[in-house]
Amino acid sequence: ILVGSLGGGGAERVAINLANNMQQRITLLSLTCYQDYDLGSFNKNVELIIFRKKRIRESILKYLLYLRKNKPQNILSISRDTNLVLTFLKPFLNYKPKLIFRETITIENMSTKIPNDQLINKIVHKYFKFFVRIIISFSYMKCSKIIVSSQDVANDIKSFLIFKKPTIKVIKPPILPKNFNTNNVHDCDDLWIKNSSIQVILGVGRLCEQKRFDILIKAFGIVHDNYPNTRLIICGKGEKEVELKSLTNKLKISEFVSFKGFLKNP
């Protein structure tokens, strides 16, 4: 199982759970050093490998050498960035592995922005989108199967691809694993949640472009204007954190929005 990192994201959590519930010997390999989850609870069948690099591109050569030496026959790539890594490396391998890619967001959401000039923005967006379409279509030619989280994502991929369309399988994310430990559930000591007169909106996820927490914050601003007893709690971290906090200041709702960072037990 290939991941870009073991940082606090849903894809990483899926990879960890999947590896830990496999009955056969399996390797979970991270291309970077970032780590938020507790990794001390793996079963004896899991081999954990972490490349101590800060960027995925810095690990590409090392990962290529690993593949050529160990020759894993089945590789499950958890996210789009690792999908592209495997696409790039496959021609340089000395064997033919079975590649399985995982997708959870629609490709149509990918865009680029150029401020203050709508005409240029439309032109660049058009050609950028076509370039992305070529790259993604070429990438998916290299895999045996794509696992997606919903039928909407499956339909999006089918309509987006230009070349050969691989097999696409919908596997919806589980709500809780069967072996979920109810002892991990306890009362939250957050003052907003404990206050029965306050209504809390909770957002959990990586603070990145794809998750669109900016839309959540703007929507909350509208809600709070009409319902002053509402509050917003955001759990997660990412490259958009500073920008999102700046947005709450701009909308003058910062005192009603709490950023909790990554929580191991949200």
Side-chain angles (χ1 to χ4, degrees), residues 162-187:
I162 300 174
F163 312 129
K164 173 187 173 184
K165 294 177 173 55
T167 303
I168 299 177
K169 175 68 175 178
V170 177
I171 301 180
K172 296 182 179 180
I175 303 302
L176 290 173
K178 293 181 180 179
N179 61 347
F180 178 74
N181 185 359
T182 55
N183 293 327
N184 289 334
V185 179
H186 56 82
D187 291 337

PDB file of all heavy atoms in Angstrom, residues 162-187:
ATOM      1  N   ILE A 162      -9.722  10.149 -21.816  1.00  0.00           N
ATOM      2  CA  ILE A 162      -9.660  10.196 -23.275  1.00  0.00           C
ATOM      3  C   ILE A 162      -9.295   8.834 -23.845  1.00  0.00           C
ATOM      4  O   ILE A 162      -9.857   8.390 -24.845  1.00  0.00           O
ATOM      5  CB  ILE A 162      -8.620  11.236 -23.732  1.00  0.00           C
ATOM      6  CG1 ILE A 162      -8.987  12.629 -23.206  1.00  0.00           C
ATOM      7  CG2 ILE A 162      -8.499  11.242 -25.253  1.00  0.00           C
ATOM      8  CD1 ILE A 162      -7.933  13.678 -23.495  1.00  0.00           C
ATOM      9  N   PHE A 163      -8.364   8.157 -23.199  1.00  0.00           N
ATOM     10  CA  PHE A 163      -7.844   6.902 -23.723  1.00  0.00           C
ATOM     11  C   PHE A 163      -8.599   5.715 -23.132  1.00  0.00           C
ATOM     12  O   PHE A 163      -9.757   5.841 -22.736  1.00  0.00           O
ATOM     13  CB  PHE A 163      -6.343   6.797 -23.425  1.00  0.00           C
ATOM     14  CG  PHE A 163      -5.579   8.033 -23.786  1.00  0.00           C
ATOM     15  CD1 PHE A 163      -4.739   8.635 -22.870  1.00  0.00           C
ATOM     16  CD2 PHE A 163      -5.703   8.603 -25.042  1.00  0.00           C
ATOM     17  CE1 PHE A 163      -4.030   9.773 -23.193  1.00  0.00           C
ATOM     18  CE2 PHE A 163      -5.004   9.742 -25.384  1.00  0.00           C
ATOM     19  CZ  PHE A 163      -4.170  10.327 -24.459  1.00  0.00           C
ATOM     20  N   LYS A 164      -7.936   4.596 -23.080  1.00  0.00           N
ATOM     21  CA  LYS A 164      -8.501   3.366 -22.546  1.00  0.00           C
ATOM     22  C   LYS A 164      -9.062   3.575 -21.143  1.00  0.00           C
ATOM     23  O   LYS A 164      -8.413   4.142 -20.272  1.00  0.00           O
ATOM     24  CB  LYS A 164      -7.422   2.283 -22.508  1.00  0.00           C
ATOM     25  CG  LYS A 164      -7.833   0.998 -21.830  1.00  0.00           C
ATOM     26  CD  LYS A 164      -6.645   0.063 -21.689  1.00  0.00           C
ATOM     27  CE  LYS A 164      -6.999  -1.155 -20.856  1.00  0.00           C
ATOM     28  NZ  LYS A 164      -5.804  -2.017 -20.635  1.00  0.00           N
ATOM     29  N   LYS A 165     -10.283   3.082 -20.924  1.00  0.00           N
ATOM     30  CA  LYS A 165     -10.938   3.238 -19.628  1.00  0.00           C
ATOM     31  C   LYS A 165     -10.775   1.965 -18.809  1.00  0.00           C
ATOM     32  O   LYS A 165     -11.276   0.911 -19.184  1.00  0.00           O
ATOM     33  CB  LYS A 165     -12.422   3.576 -19.822  1.00  0.00           C
ATOM     34  CG  LYS A 165     -12.659   4.940 -20.478  1.00  0.00           C
ATOM     35  CD  LYS A 165     -14.131   5.186 -20.716  1.00  0.00           C
ATOM     36  CE  LYS A 165     -14.371   6.621 -21.211  1.00  0.00           C
ATOM     37  NZ  LYS A 165     -13.616   6.976 -22.387  1.00  0.00           N
ATOM     38  N   PRO A 166     -10.070   2.027 -17.675  1.00  0.00           N
ATOM     39  CA  PRO A 166      -9.863   0.833 -16.848  1.00  0.00           C
ATOM     40  C   PRO A 166     -11.132   0.455 -16.085  1.00  0.00           C
ATOM     41  O   PRO A 166     -12.121   1.192 -16.077  1.00  0.00           O
ATOM     42  CB  PRO A 166      -8.762   1.275 -15.886  1.00  0.00           C
ATOM     43  CG  PRO A 166      -8.954   2.753 -15.769  1.00  0.00           C
ATOM     44  CD  PRO A 166      -9.425   3.214 -17.120  1.00  0.00           C
ATOM     45  N   THR A 167     -11.104  -0.690 -15.446  1.00  0.00           N
ATOM     46  CA  THR A 167     -12.216  -1.122 -14.602  1.00  0.00           C
ATOM     47  C   THR A 167     -12.324  -0.206 -13.390  1.00  0.00           C
ATOM     48  O   THR A 167     -11.324   0.102 -12.743  1.00  0.00           O
ATOM     49  CB  THR A 167     -12.006  -2.569 -14.125  1.00  0.00           C
ATOM     50  OG1 THR A 167     -11.864  -3.414 -15.268  1.00  0.00           O
ATOM     51  CG2 THR A 167     -13.163  -3.040 -13.267  1.00  0.00           C
ATOM     52  N   ILE A 168     -13.538   0.236 -13.102  1.00  0.00           N
ATOM     53  CA  ILE A 168     -13.769   1.125 -11.963  1.00  0.00           C
ATOM     54  C   ILE A 168     -14.719   0.431 -10.988  1.00  0.00           C
ATOM     55  O   ILE A 168     -15.785  -0.056 -11.382  1.00  0.00           O
ATOM     56  CB  ILE A 168     -14.370   2.468 -12.402  1.00  0.00           C
ATOM     57  CG1 ILE A 168     -13.406   3.185 -13.365  1.00  0.00           C
ATOM     58  CG2 ILE A 168     -14.663   3.351 -11.192  1.00  0.00           C
ATOM     59  CD1 ILE A 168     -13.947   4.489 -13.911  1.00  0.00           C
ATOM     60  N   LYS A 169     -14.320   0.364  -9.724  1.00  0.00           N
ATOM     61  CA  LYS A 169     -15.102  -0.295  -8.689  1.00  0.00           C
ATOM     62  C   LYS A 169     -15.449   0.708  -7.593  1.00  0.00           C
ATOM     63  O   LYS A 169     -14.570   1.381  -7.054  1.00  0.00           O
ATOM     64  CB  LYS A 169     -14.307  -1.462  -8.087  1.00  0.00           C
ATOM     65  CG  LYS A 169     -14.976  -2.148  -6.909  1.00  0.00           C
ATOM     66  CD  LYS A 169     -16.228  -2.908  -7.325  1.00  0.00           C
ATOM     67  CE  LYS A 169     -16.801  -3.681  -6.143  1.00  0.00           C
ATOM     68  NZ  LYS A 169     -18.045  -4.407  -6.500  1.00  0.00           N
ATOM     69  N   VAL A 170     -16.754   0.810  -7.267  1.00  0.00           N
ATOM     70  CA  VAL A 170     -17.200   1.703  -6.193  1.00  0.00           C
ATOM     71  C   VAL A 170     -17.176   0.941  -4.870  1.00  0.00           C
ATOM     72  O   VAL A 170     -17.837  -0.085  -4.721  1.00  0.00           O
ATOM     73  CB  VAL A 170     -18.621   2.239  -6.461  1.00  0.00           C
ATOM     74  CG1 VAL A 170     -19.088   3.107  -5.284  1.00  0.00           C
ATOM     75  CG2 VAL A 170     -18.661   3.033  -7.762  1.00  0.00           C
ATOM     76  N   ILE A 171     -16.383   1.440  -3.922  1.00  0.00           N
ATOM     77  CA  ILE A 171     -16.385   0.916  -2.556  1.00  0.00           C
ATOM     78  C   ILE A 171     -16.602   2.107  -1.634  1.00  0.00           C
ATOM     79  O   ILE A 171     -15.718   2.940  -1.457  1.00  0.00           O
ATOM     80  CB  ILE A 171     -15.063   0.200  -2.201  1.00  0.00           C
ATOM     81  CG1 ILE A 171     -14.811  -0.960  -3.169  1.00  0.00           C
ATOM     82  CG2 ILE A 171     -15.103  -0.303  -0.755  1.00  0.00           C
ATOM     83  CD1 ILE A 171     -13.519  -1.711  -2.892  1.00  0.00           C
ATOM     84  N   LYS A 172     -17.766   2.191  -1.054  1.00  0.00           N
ATOM     85  CA  LYS A 172     -18.094   3.340  -0.210  1.00  0.00           C
ATOM     86  C   LYS A 172     -17.324   3.276   1.105  1.00  0.00           C
ATOM     87  O   LYS A 172     -17.112   2.202   1.656  1.00  0.00           O
ATOM     88  CB  LYS A 172     -19.604   3.379   0.054  1.00  0.00           C
ATOM     89  CG  LYS A 172     -20.424   3.600  -1.207  1.00  0.00           C
ATOM     90  CD  LYS A 172     -21.907   3.681  -0.913  1.00  0.00           C
ATOM     91  CE  LYS A 172     -22.707   3.935  -2.194  1.00  0.00           C
ATOM     92  NZ  LYS A 172     -24.163   4.011  -1.925  1.00  0.00           N
ATOM     93  N   PRO A 173     -16.900   4.434   1.615  1.00  0.00           N
ATOM     94  CA  PRO A 173     -16.132   4.449   2.868  1.00  0.00           C
ATOM     95  C   PRO A 173     -16.973   3.914   4.028  1.00  0.00           C
ATOM     96  O   PRO A 173     -18.158   4.234   4.135  1.00  0.00           O
ATOM     97  CB  PRO A 173     -15.813   5.937   3.072  1.00  0.00           C
ATOM     98  CG  PRO A 173     -15.977   6.557   1.727  1.00  0.00           C
ATOM     99  CD  PRO A 173     -17.052   5.773   1.034  1.00  0.00           C
ATOM    100  N   PRO A 174     -16.369   3.111   4.908  1.00  0.00           N
ATOM    101  CA  PRO A 174     -17.105   2.625   6.078  1.00  0.00           C
ATOM    102  C   PRO A 174     -17.295   3.747   7.094  1.00  0.00           C
ATOM    103  O   PRO A 174     -16.486   4.673   7.164  1.00  0.00           O
ATOM    104  CB  PRO A 174     -16.188   1.531   6.638  1.00  0.00           C
ATOM    105  CG  PRO A 174     -14.816   1.963   6.224  1.00  0.00           C
ATOM    106  CD  PRO A 174     -14.986   2.624   4.874  1.00  0.00           C
ATOM    107  N   ILE A 175     -18.377   3.670   7.845  1.00  0.00           N
ATOM    108  CA  ILE A 175     -18.601   4.653   8.901  1.00  0.00           C
ATOM    109  C   ILE A 175     -17.700   4.340  10.098  1.00  0.00           C
ATOM    110  O   ILE A 175     -16.950   5.165  10.572  1.00  0.00           O
ATOM    111  CB  ILE A 175     -20.084   4.650   9.334  1.00  0.00           C
ATOM    112  CG1 ILE A 175     -20.980   4.936   8.121  1.00  0.00           C
ATOM    113  CG2 ILE A 175     -20.327   5.681  10.423  1.00  0.00           C
ATOM    114  CD1 ILE A 175     -20.694   6.248   7.440  1.00  0.00           C
ATOM    115  N   LEU A 176     -17.775   3.111  10.580  1.00  0.00           N
ATOM    116  CA  LEU A 176     -16.913   2.652  11.666  1.00  0.00           C
ATOM    117  C   LEU A 176     -16.485   1.222  11.378  1.00  0.00           C
ATOM    118  O   LEU A 176     -17.269   0.435  10.859  1.00  0.00           O
ATOM    119  CB  LEU A 176     -17.639   2.692  13.013  1.00  0.00           C
ATOM    120  CG  LEU A 176     -17.953   4.066  13.612  1.00  0.00           C
ATOM    121  CD1 LEU A 176     -18.819   3.918  14.852  1.00  0.00           C
ATOM    122  CD2 LEU A 176     -16.681   4.817  13.953  1.00  0.00           C
ATOM    123  N   PRO A 177     -15.247   0.869  11.712  1.00  0.00           N
ATOM    124  CA  PRO A 177     -14.838  -0.533  11.541  1.00  0.00           C
ATOM    125  C   PRO A 177     -15.574  -1.444  12.518  1.00  0.00           C
ATOM    126  O   PRO A 177     -16.027  -1.005  13.576  1.00  0.00           O
ATOM    127  CB  PRO A 177     -13.330  -0.496  11.850  1.00  0.00           C
ATOM    128  CG  PRO A 177     -13.144   0.716  12.706  1.00  0.00           C
ATOM    129  CD  PRO A 177     -14.170   1.712  12.242  1.00  0.00           C
ATOM    130  N   LYS A 178     -15.698  -2.705  12.158  1.00  0.00           N
ATOM    131  CA  LYS A 178     -16.418  -3.655  12.999  1.00  0.00           C
ATOM    132  C   LYS A 178     -15.777  -3.808  14.368  1.00  0.00           C
ATOM    133  O   LYS A 178     -16.456  -4.101  15.354  1.00  0.00           O
ATOM    134  CB  LYS A 178     -16.493  -5.012  12.297  1.00  0.00           C
ATOM    135  CG  LYS A 178     -17.353  -5.011  11.041  1.00  0.00           C
ATOM    136  CD  LYS A 178     -17.399  -6.392  10.407  1.00  0.00           C
ATOM    137  CE  LYS A 178     -18.267  -6.369   9.151  1.00  0.00           C
ATOM    138  NZ  LYS A 178     -18.317  -7.713   8.503  1.00  0.00           N
ATOM    139  N   ASN A 179     -14.464  -3.637  14.423  1.00  0.00           N
ATOM    140  CA  ASN A 179     -13.764  -3.806  15.686  1.00  0.00           C
ATOM    141  C   ASN A 179     -13.570  -2.477  16.423  1.00  0.00           C
ATOM    142  O   ASN A 179     -12.667  -2.335  17.246  1.00  0.00           O
ATOM    143  CB  ASN A 179     -12.394  -4.462  15.453  1.00  0.00           C
ATOM    144  CG  ASN A 179     -11.498  -3.622  14.556  1.00  0.00           C
ATOM    145  OD1 ASN A 179     -11.962  -2.675  13.918  1.00  0.00           O
ATOM    146  ND2 ASN A 179     -10.219  -3.958  14.505  1.00  0.00           N
ATOM    147  N   PHE A 180     -14.418  -1.489  16.127  1.00  0.00           N
ATOM    148  CA  PHE A 180     -14.298  -0.180  16.757  1.00  0.00           C
ATOM    149  C   PHE A 180     -14.414  -0.302  18.276  1.00  0.00           C
ATOM    150  O   PHE A 180     -15.327  -0.937  18.804  1.00  0.00           O
ATOM    151  CB  PHE A 180     -15.381   0.762  16.232  1.00  0.00           C
ATOM    152  CG  PHE A 180     -15.351   2.131  16.862  1.00  0.00           C
ATOM    153  CD1 PHE A 180     -14.369   3.030  16.519  1.00  0.00           C
ATOM    154  CD2 PHE A 180     -16.298   2.496  17.814  1.00  0.00           C
ATOM    155  CE1 PHE A 180     -14.336   4.292  17.097  1.00  0.00           C
ATOM    156  CE2 PHE A 180     -16.268   3.755  18.393  1.00  0.00           C
ATOM    157  CZ  PHE A 180     -15.289   4.650  18.029  1.00  0.00           C
ATOM    158  N   ASN A 181     -13.468   0.298  18.975  1.00  0.00           N
ATOM    159  CA  ASN A 181     -13.414   0.225  20.435  1.00  0.00           C
ATOM    160  C   ASN A 181     -14.257   1.346  21.040  1.00  0.00           C
ATOM    161  O   ASN A 181     -13.871   2.520  21.009  1.00  0.00           O
ATOM    162  CB  ASN A 181     -11.963   0.330  20.910  1.00  0.00           C
ATOM    163  CG  ASN A 181     -11.826   0.132  22.409  1.00  0.00           C
ATOM    164  OD1 ASN A 181     -12.817  -0.062  23.111  1.00  0.00           O
ATOM    165  ND2 ASN A 181     -10.592   0.184  22.899  1.00  0.00           N
ATOM    166  N   THR A 182     -15.392   1.000  21.607  1.00  0.00           N
ATOM    167  CA  THR A 182     -16.296   2.020  22.175  1.00  0.00           C
ATOM    168  C   THR A 182     -15.689   2.690  23.406  1.00  0.00           C
ATOM    169  O   THR A 182     -16.171   3.749  23.827  1.00  0.00           O
ATOM    170  CB  THR A 182     -17.642   1.387  22.545  1.00  0.00           C
ATOM    171  OG1 THR A 182     -17.415   0.283  23.436  1.00  0.00           O
ATOM    172  CG2 THR A 182     -18.366   0.884  21.303  1.00  0.00           C
ATOM    173  N   ASN A 183     -14.641   2.089  23.974  1.00  0.00           N
ATOM    174  CA  ASN A 183     -13.976   2.726  25.117  1.00  0.00           C
ATOM    175  C   ASN A 183     -13.253   4.006  24.723  1.00  0.00           C
ATOM    176  O   ASN A 183     -12.884   4.811  25.586  1.00  0.00           O
ATOM    177  CB  ASN A 183     -12.985   1.753  25.759  1.00  0.00           C
ATOM    178  CG  ASN A 183     -13.667   0.566  26.412  1.00  0.00           C
ATOM    179  OD1 ASN A 183     -14.781   0.695  26.932  1.00  0.00           O
ATOM    180  ND2 ASN A 183     -13.028  -0.591  26.376  1.00  0.00           N
ATOM    181  N   ASN A 184     -13.039   4.176  23.405  1.00  0.00           N
ATOM    182  CA  ASN A 184     -12.393   5.399  22.935  1.00  0.00           C
ATOM    183  C   ASN A 184     -13.341   6.593  22.917  1.00  0.00           C
ATOM    184  O   ASN A 184     -12.919   7.731  22.723  1.00  0.00           O
ATOM    185  CB  ASN A 184     -11.835   5.196  21.522  1.00  0.00           C
ATOM    186  CG  ASN A 184     -10.626   4.283  21.514  1.00  0.00           C
ATOM    187  OD1 ASN A 184      -9.915   4.184  22.503  1.00  0.00           O
ATOM    188  ND2 ASN A 184     -10.398   3.608  20.401  1.00  0.00           N
ATOM    189  N   VAL A 185     -14.640   6.334  23.091  1.00  0.00           N
ATOM    190  CA  VAL A 185     -15.632   7.403  23.067  1.00  0.00           C
ATOM    191  C   VAL A 185     -15.791   7.966  24.479  1.00  0.00           C
ATOM    192  O   VAL A 185     -16.038   7.227  25.422  1.00  0.00           O
ATOM    193  CB  VAL A 185     -16.991   6.889  22.558  1.00  0.00           C
ATOM    194  CG1 VAL A 185     -18.011   8.027  22.558  1.00  0.00           C
ATOM    195  CG2 VAL A 185     -16.851   6.298  21.165  1.00  0.00           C
ATOM    196  N   HIS A 186     -15.614   9.265  24.609  1.00  0.00           N
ATOM    197  CA  HIS A 186     -15.793   9.880  25.926  1.00  0.00           C
ATOM    198  C   HIS A 186     -16.352  11.291  25.741  1.00  0.00           C
ATOM    199  O   HIS A 186     -16.376  11.835  24.625  1.00  0.00           O
ATOM    200  CB  HIS A 186     -14.460   9.924  26.688  1.00  0.00           C
ATOM    201  CG  HIS A 186     -13.366  10.612  25.960  1.00  0.00           C
ATOM    202  ND1 HIS A 186     -13.213  11.984  25.941  1.00  0.00           N
ATOM    203  CD2 HIS A 186     -12.348  10.124  25.194  1.00  0.00           C
ATOM    204  CE1 HIS A 186     -12.157  12.315  25.217  1.00  0.00           C
ATOM    205  NE2 HIS A 186     -11.612  11.208  24.746  1.00  0.00           N
ATOM    206  N   ASP A 187     -16.820  11.873  26.825  1.00  0.00           N
ATOM    207  CA  ASP A 187     -17.403  13.212  26.766  1.00  0.00           C
ATOM    208  C   ASP A 187     -16.354  14.243  26.385  1.00  0.00           C
ATOM    209  O   ASP A 187     -15.218  14.197  26.867  1.00  0.00           O
ATOM    210  CB  ASP A 187     -18.013  13.589  28.118  1.00  0.00           C
ATOM    211  CG  ASP A 187     -19.252  12.776  28.433  1.00  0.00           C
ATOM    212  OD1 ASP A 187     -19.876  12.278  27.480  1.00  0.00           O
ATOM    213  OD2 ASP A 187     -19.583  12.635  29.624  1.00  0.00           O
TER     214      ASP A 187
END
